[in-house]
Amino acid sequence: MPDPAIDKDRPPEEKPMDHPLVDRAFIGSLVRDFYGRVRSDPRLGPIFAAAIRDDWEPHLEKMTDFWCAVILKNGAYSGRPVPAHLKLKQVREDDFDIWLGYFRQTAESRCPPKVAAVFIERAERIAQSLKLAMFFRLEGPGASAA
Ligand code: HEM
């Protein structure tokens, strides 16, 4: 049983979402809808097809766990997203805008506005940290003395 005093002091992004609609089944169908859109995109579709081939079910289950962990804070996911993306050499920084565009569309079409806003804000923050891990280089005067 969570201690309400502790919960009250946690910042909103660390609290599990408490909404009657949002459970694992709801998150699972959002994930499936989202990856359906991504797979038919001419730029992102082939990147996913090359990595995942025809075995989508494990990826969809893993992504459902991931989003349950992010939104419901249930510890369902324990993978490492950064290395999984670092090995995707075809991905460009602006591909994240395409990804986020579909994510926004999906969340807005399936969720009440306040719920969509939480999913979108989390996705944007995680996308930002993945982009930093994948593309950040110290460039500029003095950065590359060699
Ligand atoms: C252009 C943007 C992106 C592309 C092309 C992309 C592509 C992929 C691909 C192909 C995989 C499967 C890797 C594999 O199994 O070998 C993967 C895994 C994953 N992606 Fe992305 N991704 C993108 C953005 C994001 C964002 C923004 C998030 C989170 C909000 C995310 C979360 C994950 C997670 C959690 C995994 C599973 C990692 C693991 O534990 O194996 N991805 N992604």
Side-chain angles (χ1 to χ4, degrees):
M1 171 92 176
D3 179 338
I6 293 173
D7 214 41
K8 181 169 65 62
D9 294 334
R10 290 166 88 183
E13 66 276 14
E14 287 176 16
K15 287 185 193 160
M17 187 186 285
D18 183 13
H19 188 287
L21 194 64
V22 183
D23 58 9
R24 186 182 169 85
F26 177 85
I27 291 176
S29 58
L30 187 140
V31 161
R32 281 158 201 275
D33 181 344
F34 169 68
Y35 283 101
R37 298 177 199 228
V38 162
R39 287 175 79 174
S40 43
D41 179 77
R43 168 80 200 147
L44 298 188
I47 296 175
F48 279 91
I52 291 173
R53 301 181 184 279
D54 285 330
D55 208 6
W56 269 86
E57 205 42 46
H59 183 68
L60 294 171
E61 280 300 301
K62 191 192 284 183
M63 296 311 299
T64 302
D65 286 344
F66 172 76
W67 280 106
C68 285
V70 170
I71 297 292
L72 305 176
K73 310 287 175 205
N74 67 354
Y77 173 81
S78 58
R80 296 169 63 223
V82 168
H85 293 87
L86 280 178
K87 68 180 191 208
L88 303 172
K89 300 297 178 203
Q90 326 87 294
V91 177
R92 299 193 302 241
E93 193 164 357
D94 52 6
D95 290 337
F96 278 85
D97 296 336
I98 309 176
W99 191 107
L100 285 168
Y102 289 117
F103 194 86
R104 230 172 265 126
Q105 267 178 21
T106 314
E108 283 168 357
S109 72
R110 303 185 74 96
C111 308
K114 284 187 175 157
V115 172
V118 173
F119 274 91
I120 292 166
E121 189 270 338
R122 302 283 154 83
E124 284 173 347
R125 274 199 296 139
I126 299 163
Q128 192 57 34
S129 64
L130 284 176
K131 276 199 292 184
L132 279 176
M134 293 168 81
F135 304 111
F136 181 74
R137 297 282 176 277
L138 274 178
E139 276 162 21
S144 57

